[in-house]
Amino acid sequence: RILAALREEGKSVSTFFSAGKLAFHHNGSGHEADILIFGTRTPFRLKLELRHPWGRPLMHLLIMDSQIQILSFSEKRCYSGSLSEAGKFGILPEGMLSVQLWALVRGLPSVLPYSKAISVKGDQISLLDANSQEVEIIDFYPESDRPRRITFPMQGIRFILSGYERTSGILYATNTRLESLHAKNALALKLIQVVFNRAIPEPIFELHIPAGFKTISLKEAGR
């Protein structure tokens, strides 16, 4: 029942745009930026615009299906490649799936495909594949069906969600933290304003590369 409810909540959002704060932590140091996010579930598209708190543009990311473009204003470069290559370059955790990226910015975990669901302790559900390997572990707040922590052992990442709210009847976490299980890296996203299921103009999902910027593949940049 709980997994079915999560899937239904996931289906309730076809488009969204939001504004908030994004903080990146690496080995004790941190950076923060304002962020605008635009997304459509089908087809899968995400546009992330990061700005310095003073308003200067820092980076734009455009993800369409499994491909990504990264416009870095400080480097005057536009990187392009696959999501997996972005992971190797350090932009996103290596091996991160598009459904996990959607869950991060949407504020609700996606239920990955699984063969069996089990619960070996209270407030926790583990999803297993055909080889009985854990693909996803969902921890819930006590006496609640709201996810608190979602661990993906195969990708080596976990989400921590808090501050749940409902907007237009849609449940989402206002605070989502993405952590690496094997490194001291973390992303913290705080959603301040969210609008669901409104039409998003097609030009939003275009990346305009300024004159003088160099275009380079992520495969080459990661070497």
Side-chain angles (χ1 to χ4, degrees), residues 76-223:
K76 293 188 175 182
R77 287 184 172 186
C78 181
Y79 300 95
S80 63
S82 67
L83 271 177
S84 60
E85 290 166 344
K88 294 176 182 177
F89 189 55
I91 300 298
L92 296 168
E94 190 169 347
M96 190 171 185
L97 306 174
S98 58
V99 292
Q100 294 167 331
L101 183 56
W102 175 268
L104 171 68
V105 295
R106 153 64 174 103
L108 193 76
S110 299
V111 179
L112 296 186
Y114 66 95
S115 295
K116 184 179 181 181
I118 63 172
S119 181
V120 296
K121 68 178 184 177
D123 302 317
Q124 185 185 87
I125 297 175
S126 296
L127 307 182
L128 313 180
D129 63 13
N131 298 317
S132 296
Q133 297 296 310
E134 289 178 319
V135 297
E136 185 173 357
I137 305 166
I138 307 174
D139 290 279
F140 297 87
Y141 285 97
E143 300 181 1
S144 169
D145 58 359
R146 295 185 177 184
R148 176 177 62 89
R149 182 175 60 210
I150 303 91
T151 306
F152 301 96
M154 294 183 179
Q155 282 79 38
I157 58 176
R158 68 171 162 241
F159 294 166
I160 298 174
L161 299 97
S162 62
Y164 280 96
E165 292 186 4
R166 282 195 182 274
T167 295
S168 301
I170 295 172
L171 182 70
Y172 69 99
T174 59
N175 295 285
T176 305
R177 183 178 174 88
L178 168 62
E179 298 180 343
S180 170
L181 300 180
H182 311 299
K184 295 180 180 179
N185 296 341
L187 286 174
L189 175 64
K190 179 178 179 60
L191 299 178
I192 298 172
Q193 183 178 8
V194 185
V195 177
F196 292 111
N197 297 331
R198 298 277 185 89
I200 299 177
E202 286 298 315
I204 288 291
F205 297 105
E206 297 175 359
L207 203 64
H208 300 287
I209 304 173
F213 277 47
K214 183 179 180 181
T215 300
I216 185 170
S217 73
L218 283 168
K219 187 177 294 183
E220 292 296 325
R223 290 179 178 176

